[in-house]
Amino acid sequence: MDRAARPVTILSTGGTIAMAGARATPALGVDALVATVPALAGLPGLRARELMALPGAHLTTGDALAIARAAVAETQAGRGVVIT
């Protein structure tokens, strides 16, 4: 890993990026989602966590707060964050 690079955590929440099927429901878990990007395979410092698996329109303010808190916890540990 480049000395300037930070470890990164992907926080998966469902949404459009994870949807599949005729009814377009969240179907890809975080590991399957990461696997769709071959360049991420074996990337040092990459972690992936599934927080929830909801369509974006179904997120509540409580869900948004949980996502924000998870992101803050990761950044306080010195990690970069990507939320899907």
Side-chain angles (χ1 to χ4, degrees):
M1 177 164 58
D2 182 304
R3 291 188 187 268
R6 287 174 39 162
V8 172
T9 299
I10 297 172
L11 299 175
S12 175
T13 63
T16 305
I17 196 169
M19 291 184 168
R23 296 189 52 103
T25 58
L28 295 177
V30 69
D31 293 330
L33 187 61
V34 170
T36 65
V37 184
L40 296 179
L43 193 64
L46 181 67
R47 276 197 303 215
R49 288 179 41 207
E50 185 167 299
L51 297 179
M52 56 197 69
L54 297 171
H58 293 186
L59 291 177
T60 66
T61 53
D63 295 329
L65 184 57
I67 294 165
R69 286 181 173 151
V72 167
E74 294 293 333
T75 63
Q76 287 176 336
R79 301 184 65 82
V81 177
V82 174
I83 300 169
T84 67

